[in-house]
Amino acid sequence: MYRTIGDVQKAVLSGESVLSIAQAYLKKIEENAHLNAFLEVFTESVIENAKLVDEKVKAGTAGPLAGVVVGIKDNICYKNHRVSASSKILEGFTSLYTSTVLQRLIDQDAIVIGRLNCDEFAMGSSNENSAFGSVENNWKANHVPGGSSGGSAVAASAQLCTITLGSDTGGSVRQPASWTGTYGLKPTYGRMSRYGLIAYASSFDQIGSFTNSAADAQLIYELSAGEDEMDATTSSREVKCERTDFPQKLKIGLISECVHHEGLDPEVREKLAELIQKLKDAGHEITEVSFPFMDYMVPTYYVLTTAEASSNLSRFDGVHFGYRSQEAKGVEQTYIKSRTEGFGPEVKRRIMTGTFVLSHGYYDAYYTQGQKVRRVLKNRTDEFFQQVDLLLLPTTPGTAFEKNAVKDPIQMYLQDIFTVHANLTGNPAISVPFGVHSNGLPFGIQLMADSFQEDLLFHGVKKLEELL
Ligand code: GLN
């Protein structure tokens, strides 16, 4: 099979047709149906588009992604194809347009193969909140892949797609990447257009990629990021990673509260200590920095994201989109019954939490306070990057757990302890495959850079990989 974009490009260069590549992927997807990674495979449009790209290849006009097969998280819109955010409430809904990020990949001749399972409205850390069943980790039976982009992680890891797209609001790309041995990139907030991404928490959401190499992560980033007139929060800064004068000896910051975190799995801790030693031996400068806010991160994240979610999800009312309760009589009942029947329990919990923190009397105590904490976190993080080039931290405290093993929502929320930081502050971060635990499951390591320094982030990954 084709592990990377480079493998696909080689196959196309050596005369393999895009159609046969696409068919090989379709076959592999079918053979791995038990993983429940795909909610739908777009067989018809795949075949049609593959033939069109083949014509371009013959004419010598094909783009760099000819033959590359992309899977999309089921919250990314692809015109004339269904999208559901893994929720019953979007039953029967078809996208009216294509997300900008996806369109840019299609413009380079990538083929969109299908939509991938995820936690409902991207709320979750294990993909167990999908209305269409959980996803199986391809590394170990009966284990979760992480979430919320669990289907995207597994599809990339099991090579059911060349690359996949997910969304990262609090770690939903990096955390499942860590648990499936893939690369998961969350760019700087404002790098990736959110046009055509179903909103969860708009000031946190970014589209990110799952790939089987760092070079692929960089290429997909370069081709899909950048200003978009359809999303006013996108930055007009140059995207291309053309800088070459990077420091060969990096200044790397370690957050003490992360590397010495009591919840860290001993094997992850040990492997991290080894890496730090190797980095020192290679002449990189390692500095420990203190970030005494770990206890505030997850709560702040949940106050602010639920507030935004309660507003964003008000549009799903049984009138505008998708599912409408058959039982309902009258407008008010249509809203109440459609939402009651259409949303799953975690989504309801968050809408209610969000409504509460925004309510008169609690707004200042929760929402305003959360915004203030977010500012403190951002300021302190900016200070770090005046001192160091990159921050190095675990992606996840441990490895994937068994299905149904974590029942307490707070326990589940703590899976994101090391990933929410980059979303609260908007910084770019990437999870890189780091090791395989004695339990047979993989785990990642995370690098974070100053805002809009994705090029330095990729440089850091290269340096890290020289040692891994
Ligand atoms: N697991 C986190 C949550 O449940 C992050 C989700 C995400 O990044 N979309 O909110």
Side-chain angles (χ1 to χ4, degrees), residues 73 75 119-126 129 146-149 166-176 186 200-201 204-206 301-302 305-306 346 350 409 412-416 419-420 423:
K73 185 176 183 177
N75 61 357
D119 283 301
E120 187 177 1
F121 283 99
M123 297 174 183
S125 307
S126 65
N129 294 336
S148 63
S149 318
S167 64
D168 193 312
T169 304
S172 278
V173 168
R174 289 159 291 148
Q175 186 254 27
K186 183 206 81 84
Y200 158 19
F204 292 72
D205 299 339
Q206 281 293 282
Y301 169 81
Y302 277 94
T305 55
T306 55
E346 181 60 25
R350 297 203 192 187
M412 192 65 96
Y413 297 172
L414 286 173
Q415 302 305 320
D416 304 319
T419 50
V420 293
N423 304 85

Side-chain angles (χ1 to χ4, degrees), residues 317-319 324 328 330-339:
D317 54 10
V319 178
R324 180 178 301 173
V331 179
E332 189 157 341
Q333 268 199 18
T334 300
Y335 291 161
I336 295 172
K337 286 197 191 284
S338 301
R339 285 168 70 84

Side-chain angles (χ1 to χ4, degrees), residues 52 57 88 118 125 152 274 276 290 330 356 360-361 394 426 456:
L52 291 176
V57 173
K88 198 178 154 190
C118 59
S125 307
S152 302
E274 265 170 39
I276 293 167
S290 174
F356 174 76
H360 184 74
L456 180 60

